[in-house]
Amino acid sequence: MNRSLSRLSRSILTVSALSLSALSLSALSPEAQATDLRMLSSYDLTSAYTREVAQRYIDKVQGASDGEVSISLNGPDVVPPFEQLQPVSVGVFDLLYTHGAYHTNTTGVGAAMDGVFVDPAKTRESGLWDFIDSHYNELGLKLLAIPPLGSSGFQYVLKEPIEGSPGLEGRRLRGSPTYTNVTQGLGGTPVLMSSGDVYSSLDRNVIDGAAWGLNGVEDLGWHEVAGYFSKPTFGQTYTYLLMNLDTFNGLDEQQQSVLLAQGEALESEIAGVLDELAVEEWARLRELGMHETEFAPEDAERLDELVTEGIWQLGLDKSPEAVAKMREIAESNDMTP
């Protein structure tokens, strides 16, 4: 009897040990540790910015984490661009790729960054990056990256060429709040509109053109309904990679480190990538029948001043104390005109 009990006890101990071993292996397995996140993008999934910035970040994170962290993309067809901050801040989605102009109803800090010269290293060294991070923390969000969209920011896509000065007089032009001051300063009327509505609006002559970044006109098909892109380019512009703060804090330190390190790496490389792509795209647009149209010298020399002052004022109107501090940091470090 004692021998039988002894055998039974050994069997139970063996099974228990095997079970614990299996649980330990399961806990260490990639399947158990894998973190699947969902990202919203303010840009169509086929657009240059989603493809070259958001998807590049996703690929970098997946590679650096050996597949432990995966991120799926959802576009503005799921949640419109101007409504995306809230569902990420409350955790319905985990990450957001966006421009600050899409959430100026909540804060002016994101959009105000467009008043700062493109220098990712200096943005961090000056303390500006940390200040912006702290601001978004108060909104339930963690800043992962502020990717610049090239070393220069903006252009206009127009149905008709520029003639005389002010060059945009009498035209209705799509834009986000970022472009309001420069559009009005050159005689145009700004029309708040997401990029997905521009093609049909140009086609139906609802608008006469659109303010936009330097990439993605071809992807959006605007060359089919507008014949010109403006020179010189002007200003600078940034996008944001943000994450729900609770979700970020719930990750282990290694996963957090990967997300932040790949965000910093993206910031340092993406301007050069997008600069090259812009030059290549302009060449293709010419082949597709588009032409350059030049602002008159008296307008051209005002472009940077108009857009930058408008951006700072937009930020100050929405978030006076925070943006005043941003501008103080930028001015004390020679990071703004």
Side-chain angles (χ1 to χ4, degrees), residues 262-282:
Q262 296 313 307
E264 184 171 3
L266 181 71
E267 289 174 353
S268 68
E269 70 185 38
I270 196 62
V273 170
L274 292 177
D275 283 350
E276 291 182 16
L277 291 175
V279 171
E280 294 170 4
E281 181 172 337
W282 285 322

Side-chain angles (χ1 to χ4, degrees), residues 231-258:
K231 296 291 185 182
T233 60
F234 56 97
Q236 56 278 318
T237 189
Y238 297 83
T239 48
Y240 284 80
L241 282 160
L242 300 163
M243 186 171 187
N244 177 272
L245 184 58
D246 289 339
T247 303
F248 179 83
N249 288 336
L251 300 177
D252 63 44
E253 289 186 9
Q254 184 175 356
Q255 291 173 327
Q256 291 178 352
S257 178
V258 165

Side-chain angles (χ1 to χ4, degrees), residues 8-300:
L8 179 60
S9 297
R10 285 198 300 271
S11 297
I12 290 171
L13 287 170
T14 301
V15 170
S16 298
L18 288 171
S19 298
L20 286 170
S21 177
L23 285 170
S24 298
L25 288 170
S26 175
L28 292 171
S29 69
E31 290 77 16
Q33 289 187 337
T35 298
D36 300 316
L37 303 170
R38 293 203 302 161
M39 177 189 287
L40 272 178
S41 173
S42 295
Y43 303 94
D44 291 340
L45 297 189
T46 58
S47 76
Y49 297 137
T50 299
R51 183 178 64 247
E52 298 297 338
V53 185
Q55 188 61 56
R56 184 181 296 264
Y57 178 74
I58 289 169
D59 293 343
K60 289 170 78 68
V61 167
Q62 184 162 332
S65 68
D66 293 325
E68 183 181 314
V69 180
S70 65
I71 303 170
S72 62
L73 261 173
N74 302 268
D77 55 322
V78 178
V79 181
F82 293 97
E83 301 170 16
Q84 292 178 339
L85 196 73
Q86 194 269 345
V88 177
S89 67
V90 299
V92 178
F93 290 86
D94 303 301
L95 297 107
L96 175 62
Y97 174 61
T98 192
H99 188 283
Y102 287 125
H103 52 261
T104 51
N105 284 341
T106 301
T107 176
V109 165
M113 185 64 194
D114 282 1
V116 176
F117 297 141
V118 174
D119 188 338
K122 201 168 187 180
T123 296
R124 288 174 176 268
E125 292 163 4
S126 67
L128 183 56
W129 199 100
D130 288 336
F131 177 81
I132 295 171
D133 179 35
S134 296
H135 179 79
Y136 277 103
N137 290 171
E138 296 173 3
L139 301 175
L141 297 160
K142 172 64 182 172
L143 180 61
L144 300 178
I146 313 175
L149 299 183
S151 54
S152 183
F154 308 117
Q155 63 182 339
Y156 283 93
V157 175
L158 302 168
K159 291 180 72 71
E160 301 295 335
I162 296 168
E163 295 178 354
S165 175
L168 301 178
E169 188 165 18
R171 305 186 201 222
R172 289 171 53 82
L173 298 158
R174 174 271 169 194
S176 65
T178 295
Y179 306 103
T180 297
N181 196 59
V182 66
T183 295
Q184 290 178 333
L186 296 179
T189 300
V191 178
L192 188 65
M193 182 183 293
S194 67
S195 60
D197 296 324
V198 170
Y199 185 101
S200 61
S201 297
L202 284 168
D203 192 38
R204 293 183 288 113
N205 295 316
V206 174
I207 56 175
D208 304 297
W212 191 247
L214 305 190
N215 305 89
V217 172
E218 183 183 12
D219 289 330
L220 292 162
W222 294 354
H223 60 282
E224 298 173 358
V225 287
Y228 301 88
F229 54 89
S230 70
K231 296 291 185 182
T233 60
F234 56 97
Q236 56 278 318
T237 189
Y238 297 83
T239 48
Y240 284 80
L241 282 160
L242 300 163
M243 186 171 187
N244 177 272
L245 184 58
D246 289 339
T247 303
F248 179 83
N249 288 336
L251 300 177
D252 63 44
E253 289 186 9
Q254 184 175 356
Q255 291 173 327
Q256 291 178 352
S257 178
V258 165
L259 290 169
L260 291 170
Q262 296 313 307
E264 184 171 3
L266 181 71
E267 289 174 353
S268 68
E269 70 185 38
I270 196 62
V273 170
L274 292 177
D275 283 350
E276 291 182 16
L277 291 175
V279 171
E280 294 170 4
E281 181 172 337
W282 285 322
R284 291 193 303 272
L285 290 175
R286 292 185 190 97
E287 293 175 358
L288 291 167
M290 292 192 81
H291 304 279
E292 292 183 16
T293 183
E294 297 264 351
F295 282 105
E298 58 268 36
D299 286 351

